[in-house]
Amino acid sequence: MAASATSHLLKRLARSLGRGTDALEDARRELRWMKQALHSPPKGIKPDAKSLEEMVERRVRNEPIQYILGSVPFGTRLELACRRPVLIPRPETEDWALKLASVLRAQASPARPLRILDLCTGTGCIPLLLCAELPPGSVRATGVDISEAAVQLSAENARINGIAVSGGPGLAPAKNDKQENTFTPVLADLMDPDFVNRAGLEPPYDVITSNPPYIPLTEYEALDSSVRDWEDPRALLGDPVSSSPAAPSVPDAHLNKGLAFYHRIAALVRGHGLLAPDGWLALEVGDGQAEEVGEIVRRGTALRAVATWEDPYGKRRAVVARREGVCEEPSHY
Amino acid sequence: MFRSISRLGFHATRQINFSRQLHIARVLLAQAQRQAGSTSKALDAPIVQYVKRKVEERQKLQSELSDEALSDEDIQRVRKIRELEPLQDAWTEWNRAKESLEETSALLNDPDPTMRSMAEEEYAALTENMNQLVENTFPSLLIPPSQTAHLSAIIELRAGVGGSESALFVGDLVRMYTRAAQSMGWDVSVISSNVLESGGIKDAIMEVKGKGAYDALRWESGVHRVQRVPATEASGRVHTSTVGVMVLPLTEEAESSADDDLFKMSDVKLEVMRARGAGGQHVNKTESAVRLTHIPTGITVSMQDERSQHQNRRRAFQILRARLMDRKLSQEVLERRDMRRSLVRSADRSEKIRTYNYAQDRVTDHRIGLSVKNLNMVMDGDGLQDFMRALQERHQEEMLEEVLSEQ
């Protein structure tokens, strides 16, 4: 492409990204990523855009760069396909999931594989990261989501990254080869009273992870359009939109604070023996929610050792709990 | 070859009976040595003296070995003796060649023309053999093997004096190193760069992966000067600009952030470059820039060109490790120099090492006084090999001087 055409795209992109001195630098970087995605995309992931112009036009309309590129690098080795409207994996999630992998590494072994359940799995980023980071044969992960698009994408992501897909809708169970980690995608509604049966879960699990929707309705309206207009509200909104009969009982003090899913998860852990006695519960939380989510876990479950882990930007981002023992944040991964 | 030497040797011993001829032979040998300057130099070169001393040392060790059970000291001696064995072999070969040479020179004036021409041929071959020993075999046995031979390299380039013209030259050098690395069969990539709106590159970091990359490229560190008429210069005046180049040793580690012998994780401060507001689900912007600070040395590394924070972090740790490794290596050189007052020349990074003169179509390396015509060939990477080779040779010579100065 002629230099003048590229520089036109660069200017257009920079203007749309903001006014700061960073805008040009950001634009140049994004343009480079677009070229990379067009000419040498990660294996098995092709962006749906056909040209640089098309990509820039979409970006100018504030479409998230990850949907345009079609992929997100995640953890130390994953490349995840990323498509509207499935929630884009965030760096904060990558950070705590890597930390979790590093604390689980000590107990993960093919002799006794860890059974991992991820609720609201989206692209599958959390269970797939654990599959990729932990030794071969030491993980049997299940990822559940309410969205068909998410369930399909998570299965696709497992395959792209060479992780065996087992069971799931219309799929034969994978060979029970001890030498590989497996991922099972499941379509189910967490709020369904009969969730455990409908999802075909087989408790107990050694690790339960979740990045549930946690944005309060009031904040949702104020989100940047790149989030609000492009990503699935079902992955973001932590307050039930209508008072559906299936909605969990949320105490008045927690209404409209984006905490409904934490109450539901706590109830599942307590009521259904979902978590093994020495198991781990790790939940991502929104800005300012760590305290309350810690309380929900402490009161609603038998887990007594509760810690909050910070993200790289200084926010308390994950609540990690066990029945007893230590679940402090590792100093690095 | 050995067979022919012994045959001539036999002839020579027969002739020793004639004392007059012996005398002539000596004169001739002296003449021959004067003619073949390198051989005469070779015969009493410091390296020959040094090898001789080492071999004598070995013999002494052998004589000190006790006959019965080996003591701890003996085990040390045996090890040393075994270490010096290749040198002993080379020394034996040297002496054999030297003897033969003396014998052969006696025949250079032989009345029999067949004998004479045989002697001449033999003489040349022996001289060649001895030169080989002095120039290659001895040094390769004496110079300690490079500790960095297996390392890949990081090249950091930074525009210096000369504004945008200097930035343009950074671009030219990035291309030069890319081409040179490719023709060496190394994997090369630009892992970070600051491209200027006006064209050119303010700074760049390149990664050159392959065995021997660091050893070959390390002498590129220093200030590179370019003299040319900038494309933007209407008046056609020649400008002088500079680019700073720093080549660092790259070690591959399985885990990017685990403790290793270069640094402790607790000494590294890791920062993310921008605030993200509420972050998490609220924000889907890619803000992945990271900055590392190694507190004991104050070295900081920022990285933001990759898409994920983890990738930027891995890159940043890679560069931190390279800088610390570079520090460690320079420190070791300094210590060695202090210890032995060696002749190693300073590796001052602010030193102007090379000039690229476009008007005169010439590249000059000031350290070795090497000039290469055909600047384009250098900029295309091929001509750079000549400099890389010459600089590596210079390094070998310096290492040898250092060994020889050892008492």
Side-chain angles (χ1 to χ4, degrees):
Chain A
M1 180 181 299
S4 62
T6 314
S7 98
H8 168 75
L9 290 176
L10 183 68
K11 266 189 236 158
R12 202 165 147 63
L13 196 53
R15 255 188 231 116
S16 81
L17 291 178
R19 289 172 213 286
T21 46
D22 292 335
L24 188 66
E25 217 178 303
D26 287 347
R28 195 182 300 280
R29 208 170 292 131
E30 290 196 356
L31 207 56
R32 191 161 46 81
W33 294 338
M34 288 175 185
K35 285 181 196 162
Q36 271 170 12
L38 278 173
H39 301 126
S40 50
K43 214 173 139 226
I45 307 178
K46 267 187 76 154
D48 51 14
K50 295 284 167 287
S51 70
L52 204 55
E53 288 85 348
E54 185 188 339
M55 286 182 157
V56 170
E57 282 317 307
R58 284 168 57 177
R59 189 72 182 116
V60 167
R61 290 198 298 269
N62 211 15
E63 177 171 347
I65 181 79
Q66 297 89 338
Y67 287 155
I68 298 171
L69 301 174
S71 71
V72 175
F74 200 73
T76 65
R77 63 202 82 194
L78 295 176
E79 285 285 350
L80 300 174
C82 191
R83 272 195 305 269
R84 184 186 188 184
V86 182
L87 184 80
I88 296 162
R90 309 291 204 254
E92 290 90 344
T93 311
E94 175 185 51
D95 183 72
W96 72 255
L98 279 168
K99 284 176 186 156
L100 183 64
S102 86
V103 300
L104 293 176
R105 204 162 282 135
Q107 67 183 89
S109 107
R112 192 186 161 279
L114 285 175
R115 307 187 67 246
I116 297 176
L117 175 65
D118 182 49
L119 302 169
C120 314
T121 203
T123 55
C125 61
I126 298 165
L128 294 178
L129 179 141
L130 296 173
C131 283
E133 295 295 326
L134 296 173
S138 71
V139 175
R140 302 271 173 274
T142 300
V144 186
D145 206 286
I146 192 174
S147 147
E148 197 152 343
V151 170
Q152 269 175 19
L153 190 60
S154 69
E156 187 180 324
N157 276 328
R159 273 183 230 108
I160 287 169
N161 289 283
I163 293 160
V165 177
S166 142
L171 281 164
K175 297 174 302 264
N176 203 9
D177 185 344
K178 274 200 156 48
Q179 288 320 303
E180 52 185 9
N181 291 338
T182 62
F183 175 69
T184 307
V186 174
L187 181 70
D189 178 3
L190 185 66
M191 294 300 188
D192 187 324
D194 197 24
F195 168 69
V196 175
N197 281 327
R198 294 233 173 137
L201 300 187
E202 293 170 357
Y205 291 90
D206 301 302
V207 182
I208 297 177
T209 56
S210 184
N211 176 17
Y214 53 61
I215 299 179
L217 189 58
T218 46
E219 289 174 28
Y220 180 79
E221 296 303 332
L223 289 177
D224 187 86
S225 75
S226 70
V227 178
R228 197 189 55 230
D229 297 348
W230 295 90
E231 296 186 278
D232 195 339
R234 288 178 300 173
L236 297 165
L237 206 48
D239 294 322
V241 184
S242 61
S243 51
S244 82
S249 54
V250 174
D252 287 353
H254 280 177
L255 281 175
N256 304 320
K257 291 179 106 175
L259 298 169
F261 284 83
Y262 300 106
H263 283 283
R264 174 63 178 151
I265 291 168
L268 284 168
V269 168
R270 183 190 53 227
H272 294 82
L274 221 50
L275 191 64
D278 59 347
W280 295 77
L281 176 67
L283 305 171
E284 178 167 327
V285 300
D287 187 14
Q289 291 175 329
E291 199 69 40
E292 286 153 320
V293 173
E295 271 311 297
I296 293 170
V297 170
R298 221 175 266 115
R299 288 177 188 208
T301 71
L303 306 177
R304 289 295 163 265
V306 181
T308 53
W309 291 3
E310 254 187 28
D311 71 18
Y313 308 91
K315 301 275 186 209
R316 302 207 293 165
R317 185 58 65 189
V319 170
V320 181
R322 303 180 74 184
R323 197 167 278 201
E324 56 194 21
V326 185
C327 44
E328 291 311 312
E329 178 176 355
S331 63
H332 60 272
Y333 50 80
Chain B
M1 181 161 180
F2 277 150
R3 189 169 294 159
S4 78
I5 288 173
S6 62
R7 183 162 51 82
L8 279 166
F10 177 65
H11 276 284
T13 40
R14 268 203 314 196
Q15 307 225 354
I16 282 173
N17 299 330
F18 306 94
S19 62
R20 189 161 170 267
Q21 278 180 334
L22 180 64
H23 177 70
I24 289 169
R26 287 212 170 120
V27 172
L28 277 173
L29 176 61
Q31 278 174 353
Q33 283 173 0
R34 270 197 298 279
Q35 283 159 6
S38 56
T39 311
S40 74
K41 221 180 353 174
L43 280 173
D44 54 5
I47 191 169
V48 175
Q49 302 305 319
Y50 183 86
V51 172
K52 188 171 169 226
R53 272 211 308 281
K54 282 282 168 197
V55 168
E56 284 165 359
E57 206 176 286
R58 182 173 184 271
Q59 281 157 357
K60 185 159 169 282
L61 287 172
Q62 268 172 325
S63 70
E64 284 166 358
L65 280 182
S66 45
D67 293 334
E68 292 109 43
L70 290 179
S71 65
D72 283 356
E73 279 179 332
D74 279 346
I75 291 170
Q76 292 288 330
R77 287 191 190 109
V78 168
R79 186 186 301 152
K80 189 84 191 161
I81 290 167
R82 204 172 296 148
E83 262 174 33
L84 288 169
E85 197 176 308
L87 201 63
Q88 170 75 65
D89 293 347
W91 180 246
T92 307
E93 193 186 340
W94 163 267
N95 277 318
R96 204 177 288 151
K98 196 173 126 198
E99 261 172 48
S100 306
L101 191 78
E102 282 167 17
E103 293 160 2
T104 308
S105 41
L107 302 176
L108 287 173
N109 245 11
D110 196 277
D112 177 0
T114 318
M115 180 57 67
R116 241 183 2 246
S117 82
M118 264 167 75
E120 275 161 18
E121 214 173 285
E122 197 61 48
Y123 190 91
L126 287 165
T127 307
E128 172 59 25
N129 185 21
M130 292 176 79
N131 281 339
Q132 274 293 324
L133 283 162
V134 166
E135 282 165 20
N136 298 323
T137 315
F138 289 163
S140 71
L141 292 171
L142 295 176
I143 298 171
S146 165
Q147 301 291 313
T148 50
H150 59 292
L151 296 183
S152 300
I154 293 276
I155 309 177
E156 297 190 353
L157 303 105
R158 206 171 290 277
V161 179
S164 59
E165 164 64 2
S166 163
L168 287 173
F169 195 59
V170 171
D172 294 337
L173 289 183
V174 166
R175 181 173 170 276
M176 175 181 86
Y177 288 127
T178 304
R179 306 272 301 241
Q182 280 165 349
S183 72
M184 293 292 287
W186 295 321
D187 281 341
V188 57
S189 56
V190 176
I191 58 178
S192 155
S193 66
N194 257 309
V195 182
L196 296 176
E197 177 116 47
S198 53
I201 301 174
K202 199 169 105 206
D203 50 59
I205 301 180
M206 305 173 70
E207 178 189 72
V208 185
K209 278 186 162 176
K211 225 176 160 184
Y214 174 68
D215 275 5
L217 288 165
R218 57 191 292 199
W219 312 112
E220 293 299 306
S221 288
V223 173
H224 295 236
R225 183 171 67 166
V226 59
Q227 295 178 313
R228 65 180 173 191
V229 180
T232 49
E233 173 73 39
S235 71
R237 219 159 35 89
V238 170
H239 283 226
T240 298
S241 325
T242 64
V243 170
V245 173
M246 174 88 95
V247 178
L248 304 170
L250 176 64
T251 49
E252 279 302 323
E253 295 292 323
E255 279 303 312
S256 63
S257 54
D259 286 355
D260 60 28
D261 54 347
L262 289 171
F263 62 90
K264 286 207 287 287
M265 258 323 270
S266 54
D267 285 340
V268 179
K269 189 169 80 174
L270 196 147
E271 293 164 285
V272 289
M273 299 290 274
R274 285 192 230 167
R276 262 172 75 80
Q281 291 169 10
H282 290 74
V283 179
N284 63 16
K285 274 204 248 170
T286 54
E287 279 156 8
S288 54
V290 299
R291 181 169 62 203
L292 300 182
T293 307
H294 183 245
I295 298 157
T297 57
I299 294 175
T300 66
V301 184
S302 300
M303 196 51 62
Q304 55 188 6
D305 282 24
E306 302 286 345
R307 287 183 55 202
S308 89
Q309 196 168 92
H310 178 81
Q311 288 171 340
N312 279 323
R313 202 171 125 137
R314 196 179 66 80
R315 286 288 188 203
F317 269 106
Q318 209 175 35
I319 287 165
L320 174 65
R321 186 170 284 114
R323 291 205 183 140
L324 288 170
M325 181 73 160
D326 173 66
R327 238 178 120 94
K328 188 175 147 200
L329 292 176
S330 340
Q331 194 63 40
E332 280 169 8
V333 168
L334 276 177
E335 276 164 15
R336 261 206 317 260
R337 186 173 0 184
D338 287 349
M339 258 160 49
R340 298 182 194 164
R341 290 203 208 118
S342 89
L343 304 164
V344 179
R345 258 166 274 181
S346 83
D348 185 359
R349 269 77 189 260
S350 60
E351 189 188 354
K352 194 181 302 146
I353 60 162
R354 198 176 291 152
T355 298
Y356 303 76
N357 189 317
Y358 277 70
Q360 296 172 10
D361 190 28
R362 189 184 60 205
V363 182
T364 303
D365 195 291
H366 306 296
R367 295 164 298 182
I368 46 177
L370 175 65
S371 279
V372 169
K373 275 285 194 184
N374 197 344
L375 181 141
N376 282 335
M377 214 169 80
V378 176
M379 299 314 290
D380 283 343
D382 288 341
L384 185 66
Q385 316 267 355
D386 295 342
F387 286 107
M388 281 162 46
R389 212 172 298 123
L391 287 159
Q392 262 182 303
E393 274 167 21
R394 181 192 70 143
H395 176 61
Q396 292 289 310
E397 281 162 24
E398 283 177 349
M399 292 289 286
L400 187 60
E401 277 174 40
E402 202 179 316
V403 169
L404 296 184
S405 70
E406 172 192 283
Q407 287 313 304

